[in-house]
Amino acid sequence: MTLTDPSSPDTALNDQEFDALAEGRLTPEALERLRVQVQAALDNPDESVSHDEVWTRLEQRMKRAVARAA
């Protein structure tokens, strides 16, 4: 899953990678990509995705993960 908007919270991890992260089995490549993106946001917070957008997307993913597990 490739997204073109670098300010989207989905550019860090796709749904499968997010599930893997939640289960503690994220691949080293995805973990490194996430680390680089987090560091870039820390280095330049004005150009990173908004905190509210990230939490909204995280809540959506968590709800889907719970629904799939049920």
Side-chain angles (χ1 to χ4, degrees):
M1 173 188 208
T2 303
L3 299 174
T4 57
D5 181 6
S7 64
S8 170
D10 290 325
T11 59
L13 298 174
N14 62 36
D15 284 342
Q16 293 80 18
E17 290 169 333
F18 181 82
D19 289 343
L21 175 65
E23 295 171 2
R25 54 177 183 79
L26 188 62
T27 66
E29 295 82 12
L31 186 58
E32 177 61 16
R33 192 174 70 249
L34 180 59
R35 187 199 64 74
V36 167
Q37 290 176 352
V38 168
Q39 188 60 54
L42 292 172
D43 291 343
N44 195 356
D46 292 336
E47 296 201 13
S48 63
V49 66
S50 78
H51 180 267
D52 289 338
E53 187 177 351
V54 171
W55 278 110
T56 298
R57 185 66 178 121
L58 178 62
E59 287 173 342
Q60 291 171 352
R61 284 180 163 187
M62 297 286 284
K63 287 176 184 175
R64 279 200 316 265
V66 168
R68 280 193 306 269

